[in-house]
Amino acid sequence: MEVTESRIGSATTLKIVGRVDSSVAKALEQKVLDVASRDGHIVVDLGGMNYVSSAGLRSFIILAKQARAKNKAIALAGMSDEVAEIFDISGLLELFAIYDSVEAAVAALPR
Amino acid sequence: MTDISAILHRSLTPAESRPRSTLTWIWLNLAVLAAYSVAGLVVVLFGIGPAKISPIYPPSGIAVAATFVFGPRILPAVFLGQFFNGFPLLSDPHTTVLNYILTNSGTGVGSICEALIALMTLRYFTRTWHPFDRSLDVVVFLLGSSLAAAFVCGAIGTLSLWANGFVPDHEVAITFITFFLADAAGIAVFGAMALAWYRDPWPDRKTIVTSVVVLVLVFAIAALEIWSHYPVDYFFLPLLLWAGFRSGPRGVTLASAAITIIVVLATTRGVGSFVGKTDNESILLLEGFMAVITFTGLLTVAVRQQQRQAETALARHNRVLERRVADRTAEIAEKNRLLEEKQDRIDDDLKTAQILQASILPTDFSSYANTGIAASMKPALEVSGDFYDVFPVDSSRLGLVVADVSGKGVAAAFFMAVTRTMLRGVAMTGLRPSDCIAHVNDSLYRENPIEMFVTAIYAELHEASGRVTLVNAGHCEPIITRADGSAELLRRSGNPPLGVMEHKAFAELSFTLGEGEMLFLYTDGITEAFDRDGGLFRVQRLLDITQNSAARSPHDLMLAVIGGVEAFSAGTLQADDITCLVIRRNARAAA
């Protein structure tokens, strides 16, 4: 798993590439807590994430809960059908705003 | 003006400035007068040639040392001493009472000026009374207190002698030079010795030995020179340095005084290296030798004293440093002890929590005759965030739970206990499983200050029919082992974990467990266990193990899975809690 962080306007973008399972869940959790503690909305680019395990999903739940507690919008962008399926059967899709691309997600963020 | 008076005060302060009664001052003055006079008599012994001119004048050393120690109030003794020391003038037939008084008053004033200049110079430039401890002090003492002071005294004294007709015009220059140099030598040799021995009057054994050896060897070297007529005066130099290194200022001043006396006495008798072609030449040669001896001796001692002071300071700093290190070490040891105590308390608490946690998990399933049950929970840390539960919902149905609280450790364990108790309590009210879970979800969502959540499966098994109603709240997908040996995964149905979203409706799944078929519930500690290379166990491996389990007991299946995981992750640290619960619908014995 690779995580790169960048800023587009006032939003923080996290780009996750690779498999997200228990071997990297701890690192991802630290990263999302770090991002959530800062100002600005959050867009997670999942275009390069090909798998997420249940341990990996926990990081996304933590991110969603942190964002909600701090009144931030959080969007997932570009996820593959397989990943979308995992989020769906895990009941987590409705925690996030889902977009096809990062650009669409950024454009839809609240001002 | 205050500056000048402050400087004067500082420069004129003697080494011993305590107040004394007038009577004491009179006695002190008389004592110094006596010493001055005795030293004056000795000068006669040192006189060279028919004029009995001495190359060294010890009384000036006495006067300067006394002024250093007692201050200006000792000056009457200096004046009177010098006044009476003029007695050789009485042998001159031209001497009258008047010109004796005038001449010796003049030399007396010269001696007073000498003593004052000596004291003020050293005090002003070095702030000490003891020119032995630093090389700078030695230089100031020899150039200022000795040479400059004697220069003034020589000038005043020569002037008095000349004005009263005791020195003819053509002898003024040579009289001044011998007068000045003899006084300077007196201060440098005898003044220094008096000061060194006054500062430290009681000699220890070592100093006594040094003194005796110095006196004997000085005498021996002189005897050797007189006997052999070889110029062996350079033998004095190592002796002088040895005395200085061994016994400090006292040793070196004693040595230079002894050497001076013996050399002057030898020269007066016309022997030794310093006998010149004329008396004045002899005197100047002696002065040169004395200058070298005193300068070398005093400077050597000063350097040695400075080195000793540096060593003492270093040793003191070392001691301070060592004490500080010891203090810090003790401090750290104490902190360490407190930390260990604290760690012990935490360990005790964790052990207690572990026992409590284990005690709320059911382990005896023998009362469920129609259902075979096996369960295991293996924490990664002392306490676990996983749990399982088995309880009768009513007379015909069993409640089955496997859950995994986010995070690990004490917080997870506490949240686990809350969830377990809440779920059991709600289930016993007879609500259908989806409603039970929805209820628990809302409660956990509301009463959850640290944003934790739980993935859980809650299932109800109707023991008679084998009908299972199951709600999977974001948890790992259970496995059903079928009678034909296949193992199938029960897909999730879109329910989120508990405590994540409020007012959520949860979907149920229903299926029937045939006789001999098993339901395998577990946590992701199994499917996401690592091997040594970081590879994951995965669901597929679990399916492989659970296949063909028709003939197995729940306990055997459980052991097979746990054994499989342990073999897979051998050599790694257990990363997550590992929990499983196996339910088997037994064949009806009665049927």
Side-chain angles (χ1 to χ4, degrees), chain B residues 229-267:
Chain B
H229 292 282
Y230 286 122
V232 291
D233 304 273
Y234 54 85
F235 284 177
F236 288 125
L237 205 61
L239 181 63
L240 176 85
L241 297 181
W242 174 77
F245 276 117
R246 203 171 129 85
S247 295
R250 290 182 297 178
V252 92
T253 53
L254 181 79
S256 56
I259 293 166
T260 302
I261 289 170
I262 205 99
V263 167
V264 170
L265 285 179
T267 309

Side-chain angles (χ1 to χ4, degrees), chain B residues 23-37 74 76-77 80:
Chain B
L23 194 64
T24 312
W25 277 118
I26 290 172
W27 279 117
L28 278 175
N29 271 279
L30 286 175
V32 171
L33 175 58
Y36 198 96
S37 303
I74 209 68
L80 288 176

